[in-house]
Amino acid sequence: MDFSTPHTERSFFLIAGPCVIEGRDHAHFLASSLRDLAEARGIPFLFKASFDKANRTSKDSYRGTSLEEGLDILSEIRTRHGVPVLTDVHESAQCPLVASAVDVLQIPAFLCRQTDLLLAAGATGRAVNIKKGQFLAPWDLRHAVDKVRTVDGHGPVWVTERGASFGYGNLVVDFQGFPHLRRTGCPVVFDATHSVQKPGALGHATGGAREMIPTLARAAATAVDGFFFEVHEDPSKALSDGPNAIRLDAFGDLLDQLLAIWRASRAATLADPAAHP
């Protein structure tokens, strides 16, 4: 995969996997299943899973594996299934070790202004995916991008929309933000699953409106280079973010819809670039 231009002329690129590593066998099952869905459609695919979810609502919530075990699983997936791998980093000191096991370092939305973390991620030379904070105006994400780009030897940078805080316990997606994100010069990704979160809605955990995922994803297909999805075979049993994960058995149909919209939109853009800023 060309991380500078990860999509192709015929397809967006896809970042997908479980919210958090739930175990070695489970991670391999989802990596294999998602790779097969993507390959059948000619979609460039990256497997994603977190070794640690450091921002869970409750301290008693499942956070993931240890750093060492998580990176061992991710590295194994990378090798066995032949797919690039993406995972979150939460602290500057994690970046060099994580970069030895994965292809893309992801900056969580809540941490997108953390200068030291951004610089450390950039210094690894790996691709860096910056998720726009729920509190941040889309045009202000350029500052986070600039921080990574100031590092000698930095790799490609991507930017991801994942919804903005709207009062308490709700997120909305402002589709006017996508042209602003594109002005960073980075590939633009839409996280369709975190965008339907209901932060803290379950009292002890975050809720979500899973049924809205297809609607938002189809709308975003006209404006992005890639998609991010949390996928689980049984979201009701997921150890993290189940309420906003899409079911594995419904995912192929949605990918088909998104490809059709994305291709039609790109054809229109090529025909009249001025009509699609």
Side-chain angles (χ1 to χ4, degrees):
M1 176 181 286
D2 180 351
F3 293 101
S4 297
T5 311
H7 61 280
T8 69
E9 291 186 359
R10 295 289 297 161
S11 175
F12 52 80
F13 69 102
L14 173 66
I15 303 167
C19 175
V20 66
I21 296 173
E22 298 185 6
R24 190 177 299 268
D25 290 343
H26 182 257
H28 279 289
F29 161 71
L30 279 176
S32 176
S33 300
L34 292 167
R35 178 202 61 195
D36 291 348
L37 284 172
E39 283 188 351
R41 293 161 173 82
I43 301 174
F45 168 63
L46 299 92
F47 178 77
K48 64 80 49 182
S50 297
F51 57 84
D52 180 24
K53 298 300 292 184
N55 62 344
R56 296 303 305 273
T57 302
S58 169
K59 69 177 181 62
D60 297 322
S61 297
Y62 176 77
R63 286 182 54 168
T65 63
S66 67
L67 172 65
E68 292 76 13
E69 181 183 2
L71 293 184
D72 183 62
I73 292 170
L74 293 172
S75 180
E76 192 174 273
I77 285 172
R78 192 181 179 202
T79 301
R80 183 181 302 180
H81 301 288
V83 297
V85 172
L86 172 151
T87 198
D88 299 294
V89 288
H90 296 91
E91 301 174 8
S92 303
Q94 294 175 344
C95 292
L97 186 59
V98 173
S100 69
V102 307
D103 301 275
V104 182
L105 276 60
Q106 181 165 274
I107 307 298
F110 283 126
L111 301 178
C112 70
R113 286 172 57 99
Q114 296 298 106
T115 300
D116 290 344
L117 180 60
L118 291 161
L119 296 178
T124 67
R126 292 294 192 188
V128 177
N129 183 36
I130 307 173
K131 301 190 99 174
K132 181 180 73 65
Q134 301 90 326
F135 49 85
L136 199 69
W139 46 86
D140 285 335
L141 194 59
R142 73 185 190 279
H143 300 300
V145 172
D146 289 343
K147 290 175 184 179
V148 176
R149 286 176 171 164
T150 63
V151 181
D152 289 341
H154 69 82
V157 185
W158 307 341
V159 293
T160 295
E161 170 63 62
R162 50 100 359 111
S165 296
F166 186 72
Y168 297 121
N170 196 20
L171 299 172
V172 297
V173 177
D174 179 6
F175 287 90
Q176 296 178 93
F178 286 106
H180 292 287
L181 294 179
R182 187 161 299 287
R183 289 180 189 124
T184 64
C186 301
V188 177
V189 182
F190 179 51
D191 180 347
T193 45
H194 283 101
S195 290
V196 302
Q197 278 186 335
K198 304 291 184 183
L202 301 182
H204 65 288
T206 288
R210 185 186 308 121
E211 69 278 6
M212 295 298 177
I213 294 170
T215 299
L216 291 183
R218 287 191 293 259
T222 64
V224 300
D225 303 300
F227 280 97
F228 179 112
F229 289 95
E230 292 193 335
V231 185
H232 201 281
E233 76 282 4
D234 187 353
S236 67
K237 296 181 180 178
L239 298 182
S240 177
D241 276 4
N244 59 261
I246 190 166
R247 289 186 62 91
L248 177 62
D249 59 10
F251 194 42
D253 287 344
L254 179 57
L255 290 176
D256 290 337
Q257 296 171 30
L258 297 180
L259 275 174
I261 298 168
W262 191 87
R263 288 169 177 166
S265 176
R266 279 186 64 81
T269 301
L270 292 173
D272 185 7
H276 299 266

